[in-house]
Every structure is written in C-alpha cells, then in structure tokens.
C-alpha cells in the first residue's frame, strides 16, 4: 500500500537522524494505517429491524432476530477469515498503563444470542462491553465494520446515552425506522443530536415488504430529513427480500430489496470518504515531519555553502528558537488560552446542566400539582428518566463541541499553517447515569373499603354524639335520625379531608423524591463532566506540548548544525555538502509524494463534518463500547 510505504520510508529517514519525537508521530500514523476499520453504527428504536438489516447486509445470521428478542450488547461485525466470534469483557487485572483494557473471550457464533440478546443476557447482566463477529464477506473486505447497537427505547431514555457514546468513534450512522409510520418527534430529536457528533448519517426505511404504503411514508420521512439536513439520503429496504434473493441467487429480487443502493452508498460515500480523510491526514503528518527535517538540513547546507552569511542566519535561527522555547513555557499564550478556556467551559457546563435539570424539575412539580402522582408514579418515573437522559445528552454533546472549538483556539497560537487537533472524547456518556440510584417508589394512595369505613366512622362519631346530646334536650334518644344524619355528613367530610391530606402528603413526598433524584444526577453527572473536561485539558496540553517540542527541537538542531558547519574544514565540508544534498533530495521526494496525496483530495468532496478552520487529525478507530 502506497501510504504504508511512504510512512515507513519517513520512519527510516527519521531514524537515521535520531529524531525520537518525529518517530513517535510516524509510529502513530502507521498504526492508524494498519487498522483500516471504517465503523458504521446502526441505531434506532426497539424492534425496527436493525439486527435483520445487518444480517441481510452481510448475508449471514450473525445478529439474533426474533419478535421477543432485543439486542442488549453492541455487536461488531467485521471482515475476517475464518468466521469466528468473541465477546469483550473489562479486564479484571487491568494495569492503569495498559493500552488494551479489554479481554477477548472466544465463543461459538451459534451461541451469540446467549450473550448479546435481552433473553440470554437481560439488561447486560454479564457486563459485556461488546461482541465481535468476523466474517469472510466481500462487502466487509474494504474495512467496513458494522455495529448493531441496543435499541434506544423512546430515543430519550438512558439507552440513548449508550448509543451516543459510540458515535464519536464511528465514521457514519444508519438510522433505522420501519415503514409502519413516519419519523416520530423523539427520532428527529435524536437525529439532530447525533448529527452534531457524527455528520455522515444515512436514513434506512426498513420492512417495506410488510407495509403497502411504504412509499408515502418514505416521502414523509424525506421531508423530515430535509428539515434536519439536505444531505441525508433515505434508502427504503426489505431485509427479508434481500435474504430470500441471496438464498435463490435472484438478482431481480435483490434489486427490489433496495440493498444495492444502500451498499453502493456505503462503499462510495462512507468507505471512500474515510479513505480520502485518511490520505489527507497521512499527507499532513508527512509534510509536517519533512518540514522539520528540511529545516536543520537546509540550515547546515546554507552555512557550508555561504560561510559569510552564517552569523546572520544563526541569529535568525536563535530568534526563532527563543520564540519556539516560549511556546513550551507555561506562560505561553496557548497555555493561558487553554487554562482560561477550560475554566470557562467547566463553569458554563455546570450552569447548562443545572439549568436544564431545573426546568425539568419545574415541569415535574407542575405535573405533580395537577393530579395524584401515586397511581401514575411508574409512568412519571419513566418520563423523568427520559427527560433527564435527554438533558444530559444535550449537555455532553454541547460540551464536546465547545471542547473542539477550544482546541482550535489553542491551535491558532502556533502557526498560520494547518496544525492537527487532538482527538477528544467528551461525548462519552454511556456510564453517566450508572452511579445514580433508581427512583424510589411512592405510595399509590389506594385504600380498601374497610379503611374507608373506619375513616368515616372516626369522623362521624363526634357528629352523632354532639347532635344526640343536643336532641336529648327535647327528649329524643342519643341515636336518632338527626344524629345519624349528622354523623353521616361529618363522616363524609372527614373522609374527604383525609383524602385531600393524603394527596397533599403524596405530592409533597413526590416533589421531595424528584428534587433528591435530580440533585443526585447533578452531583454524579457533574463530577463525570468535570473529569472529562480535565481529560480534555490534559490531552490538549500534551498534544500541543509535543508540537511545541518538535518545533523547538527542529530549530535547536538547525542552530547546532549551522554552528557546526561554520567550523567544518574544507575537505569535510565538500563531503558533508554532498551528503546533505542527497538527504535533502530524499526528504523533498517524500514531501512531494505527501503533497500529492493531499492534492488528490482537494477536488473530490467537501471536508468531513467536524472539520474546522484548523483541520483535525483523523481519529483512530477503536473497539465498540
């Protein structure tokens, strides 16, 4: 592969010059090239046909499908020969410095349902991170990796957080919705949220063979997608027709299934675009490395060929070295921008989270005041969970966008040229609500008939006694029609008052439970957000410190080379000039090849989503979860 050969050639050149800092960058570039995975995550509500869609895509029953089976663990399907499967578990004896925190446990493909489905692994009780399936399929041979995600419920539940967790590491997302109805409001809301993380989104209308009016639904869905973004395509498909076509080798039935269009889009727009982004990233790394190498070589060559101009050249290099040295110091402007930006971001994030949850609390208390929360407490708890999860998702996604913006602000201090940005993972919200306890139960307010009678009798006793004594003045018995009637009236009044008192007590208790739950969410989620932002600060600091160190090292080597060249003897000078020119020729050839890679990408398509004024380094592909 051309890219691998160019990077290996650059590593050879850098190794000869003992530039460990540049070698480290190229090693990272090479590791990215050797992992060609292009992740496409399949998302959607429960029972929309996600698992069967993947089965039809790869023409193999890799994901369990049944009317009462739901996916509980992400399943990663990628190319491999022979076919095999494994599950990923958190490593119990994980070393903090270990680059591989997961343990792979091989399993039989036929037993996959026992690990990834709600029936075999309800609520992911086995604590699996993901499952991996390797298949020798042509559609996967180009590096395409398909991820079957758990259903996201009403697109606002805590399952949505888990789905959003995987999006920052994905190259594209397939939003699956069946042809029974047009997109719902929660689906559109989730789509808008996901678009802010992963811009390559494809709509898939599934189960077209079951619903005769699927064309009308498709037109309605295209209208909804156009309101979100004009670039989102929609592919109506039938997984059953695709599987049946594969079984009978029927090309016409396969075309009718709609899958050829979807597969073509995956190959050309998603896999092809990812390859273009990868070439641009490799080109950027190689150009940066060769620029650093050429600086010291050209400085030494100029000093050898023009000794008279050496003092002025050394003075210029010394000034540039001082400027580069300033970038390494904590007092440098980029450090101030980073520290101030993180401080502002933490404050804004905490305010944003509290503001969202306070609005939810007000809505919850208003709903409680309008009725009895006891009988509807289960539904109310689910609504509160969905609203809370949606608010947290919005805050995390917004924080991720702000973090990327801050990284671009720091990058602008370095150069007017392109500077790579660190890979930030702030949108990871999968475990945000794990430390938060479930909502406590609430008395439903139901009392049996005997309790109602006893409450009424307690209230009626005083009325019977009072009116019995009053009518006794006129010679009537203690128990008489007037006293009994008064007792019934007062008993009914007492029952109503007791009912109102119990209702107000439940409402007060419900409000207290809501406040306590949201306080717990603010405490736990706020802590995780701050931890993630501190990781952002450290990642950004380390990333740009390495860049500053590279600049400083290159300029230091240039000054040293120029000073050394000024004292080189005539015989050694001629030999050294020849060596430097040969080395420069190798570096220039490599740089021209690297620039040619970037020039290929200027014509085809617009930059990938998330590209900012200072381009970001293409993210490394990681395992699901």
């Amino acid at each position: 592969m051309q890219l691998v050969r160019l990077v290996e050639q650059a590593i050879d050149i850098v190794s000869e010059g003992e530039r460990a800092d540049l070698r480290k960058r190229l090693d990272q570039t090479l590791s990215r090239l050797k992992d060609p995975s292009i992740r496409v995550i399949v998302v959607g509500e429960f029972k929309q046909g996600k698992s069967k869609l993947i089965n039809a895509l790869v023409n193999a029953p890799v994901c369990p499908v049944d009317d009462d089976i739901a996916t509980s663990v992400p399943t990663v399907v990628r190319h491999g020969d022979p076919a095999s499967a494994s599950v990923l578990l958190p490593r119990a004896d994980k070393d903090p410095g270990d680059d591989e925190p997961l343990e792979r446990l091989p399993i039989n493909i036929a037993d996959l349902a026992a690990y990834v489905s709600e029936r075999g692994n309800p609520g992911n009780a086995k604590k699996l991170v993901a499952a991996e399936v390797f298949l020798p399929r042509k559609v996967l041979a180009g590096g395409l990796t398909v991820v079957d995600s758990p259903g996201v419920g009403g697109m606002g539940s805590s399952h949505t957080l888990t789905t959003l967790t995987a999006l920052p590491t994905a190259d594209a997302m397939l939003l699956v919705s069946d042809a029974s109805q047009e997109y719902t409001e929660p689906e559109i809301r989730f789509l808008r949220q996901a678009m802010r993380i992963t811009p390559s989104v494809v709509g898939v209308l599934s189960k077209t063979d079951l619903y005769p009016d699927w064309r009308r639904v498709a037109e309605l869905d295209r209208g909804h997608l156009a309101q979100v973004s004009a670039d989102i395509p929609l592919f109506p498909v039938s997984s059953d027709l695709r599987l049946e076509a594969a079984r009978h080798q029927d090309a016409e039935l396969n075309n009718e299934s709609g899958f050829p269009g979807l597969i073509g889009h995956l190959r050309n727009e998603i896999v092809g675009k990812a390859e273009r982004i990868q070439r641009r990233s490799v080109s950027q790394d190689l150009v940066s490395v060769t620029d650093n190498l050429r600086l010291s070589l050209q400085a030494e060559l100029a000093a050898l060929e023009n000794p008279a101009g050496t003092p002025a050249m050394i003075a210029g290099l010394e000034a540039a070295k001082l400027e580069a040295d300033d970038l390494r110091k904590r007092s440098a402007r980029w450090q101030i921008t980073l520290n101030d930006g993180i401080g502002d971001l933490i404050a804004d994030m905490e305010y944003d989270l509290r503001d969202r949850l306070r609005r939810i609390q007000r809505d919850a208390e208003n709903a409680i005041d309008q009725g009895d929360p006891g009988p509807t407490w289960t539904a109310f708890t689910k609504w509160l969970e969905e609203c809370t999860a949606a608010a947290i998702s919005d805050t995390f996604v917004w924080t991720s966008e702000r973090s990327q913006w801050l990284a671009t602000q720091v990058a602008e201090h370095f150069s007017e040229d392109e500077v790579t940005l660190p890979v930030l993972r702030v949108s990871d919200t999968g475990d945000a609500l794990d430390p938060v306890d479930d909502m406590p139960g609430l008395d439903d307010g139901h009392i049996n008939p005997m309790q109602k009678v006893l409450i009424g009798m307690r209230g009626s006793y005083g009325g019977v006694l009072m009116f019995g004594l009053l009518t006794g003045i006129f010679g009537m018995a203690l128990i008489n029609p007037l006293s009994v009637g008064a007792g019934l009236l007062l008993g009914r009044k007492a029952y109503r008052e007791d009912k109102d008192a119990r209702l107000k007590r439940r409402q007060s208790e419900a409000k207290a439970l809501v406040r306590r739950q949201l306080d717990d969410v603010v405490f736990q989620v706020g802590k995780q957000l701050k931890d993630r932002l501190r990781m952002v600060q450290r990642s950004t600091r380390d990333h740009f410190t390495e860049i500053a160190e590279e600049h400083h090292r290159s300029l230091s080597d240039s000054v040293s080379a120029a000073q050394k060249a000024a004292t080189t003897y005539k015989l050694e000078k001629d030999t050294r000039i020849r060596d430097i020119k040969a080395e420069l020729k190798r570096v220039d050839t490599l740089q021209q090849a690297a620039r040619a890679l970037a020039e290929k990408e200027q014509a085809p398509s617009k930059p990938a989503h998330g590209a900012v004024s200072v381009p970001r380094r293409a993210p490394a592909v990681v395992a699901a979860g």
Side-chain angles (χ1 to χ4, degrees):
M1 184 180 179
Q2 181 190 11
L3 296 180
V4 174
R5 288 197 301 270
L6 287 176
V7 175
E8 289 175 344
Q9 181 182 348
I11 289 176
D12 292 339
I13 295 175
V14 168
S15 299
E16 295 172 5
E18 298 181 353
R19 287 296 301 269
D21 53 340
L22 299 179
R23 172 66 186 265
K24 180 180 177 182
R25 179 194 288 199
L26 292 173
D27 286 340
Q28 293 173 349
T29 303
L30 188 61
S31 65
R32 290 203 312 272
L33 285 175
K34 291 182 176 179
D35 183 7
S37 297
I38 299 164
R39 286 166 50 91
V40 176
I41 183 170
V42 182
V43 305
E45 295 191 1
F46 287 113
K47 315 315 298 176
Q48 297 295 302
K50 301 188 302 297
S51 298
K52 183 174 284 190
L53 175 77
I54 295 176
N55 292 347
L57 194 64
V58 300
N59 190 23
V62 291
C63 300
V65 176
D66 203 339
D67 290 339
D68 58 349
I69 288 182
T71 304
S72 62
V73 176
T75 305
V76 182
V77 184
R78 61 182 70 196
H79 186 268
D81 194 6
S84 62
S86 61
V87 292
L88 305 181
L89 297 161
R91 184 170 293 177
D93 54 346
K94 182 177 69 175
D95 185 356
D98 195 351
D99 294 333
E100 184 55 55
L102 301 177
E103 178 182 359
R104 282 175 170 78
L105 177 66
I107 62 172
N108 192 316
I109 292 183
D111 298 333
L112 192 63
Y115 294 89
V116 304
S117 68
E118 282 289 343
R119 178 188 293 176
N121 184 17
N124 193 16
K126 297 178 182 178
K127 303 299 182 184
L128 304 180
V129 176
E132 279 187 329
V133 180
F134 295 88
L135 292 174
R137 291 293 185 271
K138 183 178 179 181
V139 70
L140 303 174
L144 180 65
T145 299
V146 185
V147 183
D148 183 18
S149 65
V152 292
M155 289 291 189
S157 67
S158 58
H159 295 287
T160 306
L161 295 176
T162 305
T163 302
L164 287 171
T165 296
L167 289 182
T169 65
D171 296 280
M173 180 188 83
L174 301 186
L175 177 62
V176 180
S177 180
D178 66 32
S180 62
Q181 63 176 359
E182 61 185 295
Y183 285 131
T184 62
E185 192 278 332
E187 285 178 316
I188 294 298
R189 185 184 185 281
F190 174 82
L191 177 63
R192 293 183 186 275
Q193 196 175 56
M195 284 281 294
R196 295 163 61 186
I197 303 176
T198 300
S200 296
V201 173
V202 178
V204 177
L205 185 67
S206 63
K207 304 182 183 180
T208 57
D209 56 308
L210 297 180
Y211 301 99
D213 293 335
W214 66 265
R215 291 179 178 83
R216 186 175 63 86
V217 175
E219 286 303 315
L220 292 173
D221 283 351
R222 287 192 177 97
H224 292 307
L225 293 176
Q227 293 178 359
V228 178
S229 173
D231 300 329
I232 304 177
L234 179 69
F235 293 94
V237 300
S238 169
S239 300
D240 288 329
L241 290 182
R242 162 80 169 181
L243 293 171
E244 193 69 17
R247 189 176 298 113
H248 297 287
Q249 297 295 309
D250 190 331
E252 184 178 351
L253 191 60
N254 184 51
N255 290 333
E256 190 177 344
S257 72
F259 271 83
L262 175 60
I263 293 174
H265 183 84
L266 291 175
R267 284 176 175 168
N268 300 328
E269 296 300 322
I270 294 178
V271 176
K273 182 182 291 186
E275 291 175 350
R276 292 193 294 270
I277 293 174
Q278 186 181 61
R279 284 197 295 270
R280 185 185 179 200
S281 174
V282 171
S283 171
Q284 187 175 339
D285 285 344
L286 290 176
V287 169
S288 175
V289 167
T290 52
D291 280 341
N292 280 281
L293 292 174
R294 293 180 79 255
L295 185 61
S296 59
L297 291 173
Q298 286 182 326
E300 185 177 359
L301 180 63
L304 290 170
E305 292 183 333
N306 183 21
T310 300
M313 180 186 64
I314 292 179
L317 289 172
E318 287 283 5
K321 178 186 173 184
L322 290 175
E323 182 179 351
D325 190 48
D326 183 57
L327 285 173
R328 298 193 307 161
K329 297 178 182 178
R330 184 161 296 275
S331 58
R333 287 187 299 163
W334 73 268
Q335 290 276 6
I336 297 174
T337 300
L338 176 60
N339 293 334
D340 290 349
I342 286 294
D344 293 341
L345 185 52
I346 289 177
D348 292 345
M349 170 276 304
E350 192 169 12
Y351 173 82
D352 182 78
L353 178 62
R354 288 182 177 274
D355 181 61
R356 294 179 191 273
L357 294 181
R358 285 182 67 182
R359 287 201 296 268
I360 293 174
Q361 180 178 330
R362 287 195 293 268
D363 293 341
E365 291 181 349
N366 290 335
I368 290 171
D369 287 334
Q370 292 174 7
D372 187 352
T376 60
W377 187 246
T378 301
F380 178 84
T381 300
K382 183 179 179 181
W383 170 83
L384 184 66
E385 176 191 341
E386 292 179 352
C387 291
T388 302
I392 294 171
S393 299
D394 286 337
T395 297
F396 269 79
V397 173
W398 174 79
T399 304
S400 177
E401 293 175 330
R402 280 285 303 272
S403 299
Q404 290 288 351
W405 175 83
L406 177 60
T408 63
Q409 297 298 111
V410 175
E412 289 177 358
H413 288 291
F414 279 80
S415 172
E416 295 180 356
D417 299 328
E418 294 183 350
V419 178
T420 58
L421 300 184
V423 178
L424 305 177
R425 291 285 183 262
V426 192
S427 298
D428 182 1
T429 61
D431 58 350
L433 291 176
D434 286 354
V436 180
D437 294 332
D438 293 335
M439 192 77 161
L442 182 70
D443 179 23
D444 61 4
H446 176 73
I447 59 175
N448 57 46
M450 182 58 68
Q451 290 175 313
K452 294 180 181 179
V453 171
L454 291 176
I455 293 172
M457 289 180 63
R458 283 198 299 268
S460 64
Y461 173 77
V464 172
L465 182 61
M466 181 175 60
F467 277 87
L469 293 176
L470 183 61
T471 55
I473 299 175
F474 304 100
M476 299 178 66
L478 182 66
I479 304 299
N480 60 72
L482 290 177
S483 62
V484 171
L488 290 174
L489 290 174
L490 291 178
R492 185 179 180 184
K493 180 175 181 296
Y495 172 75
R496 289 180 175 176
E497 290 176 348
D498 181 78
K499 182 180 179 181
D500 291 341
R502 285 186 288 109
L503 173 59
K504 292 186 180 300
R505 188 164 58 248
R506 283 194 300 274
Q507 290 175 333
S508 298
E509 184 180 353
K511 291 179 182 179
L513 290 176
V514 168
R515 286 192 291 269
R516 188 171 67 186
Q517 185 77 2
L518 295 181
D519 284 344
D520 194 18
V521 170
V522 169
F523 177 75
Q524 299 290 356
V525 177
K527 173 65 166 61
Q528 293 195 41
L529 268 172
K530 290 178 182 177
D531 289 343
R532 281 172 170 79
L533 288 176
R534 291 189 184 96
M535 290 174 59
V536 167
Q537 183 178 21
R538 287 192 288 269
S539 299
T540 307
R541 179 198 62 204
D542 295 343
H543 177 80
F544 287 110
T545 297
E546 288 182 5
I547 293 178
E549 291 286 353
E550 286 180 7
H551 290 176
H552 183 268
R553 172 71 185 273
S554 297
L555 288 167
S556 296
D557 287 354
S558 300
V559 172
S560 300
Q563 291 173 339
K564 181 180 178 181
T567 59
T568 302
Y569 293 106
K570 180 72 170 64
L571 182 60
E572 296 177 354
K573 180 188 298 184
D574 295 338
T575 303
R576 182 57 182 158
I577 287 176
R578 286 195 300 271
D579 292 342
I580 292 174
K581 287 183 176 180
E583 189 71 12
L584 270 174
K585 185 176 181 180
R586 291 177 62 196
V587 173
D588 288 341
T589 301
L590 178 62
Q591 188 175 79
Q592 289 171 4
R595 292 189 186 278
L597 291 175
E599 290 172 359
K600 288 181 182 180
E601 309 313 322
Q602 290 178 0
S605 63
K606 61 184 178 182
H609 172 82
V612 288
S613 57
V614 185
R616 179 177 61 179
R617 184 191 299 271
V621 178
V622 297

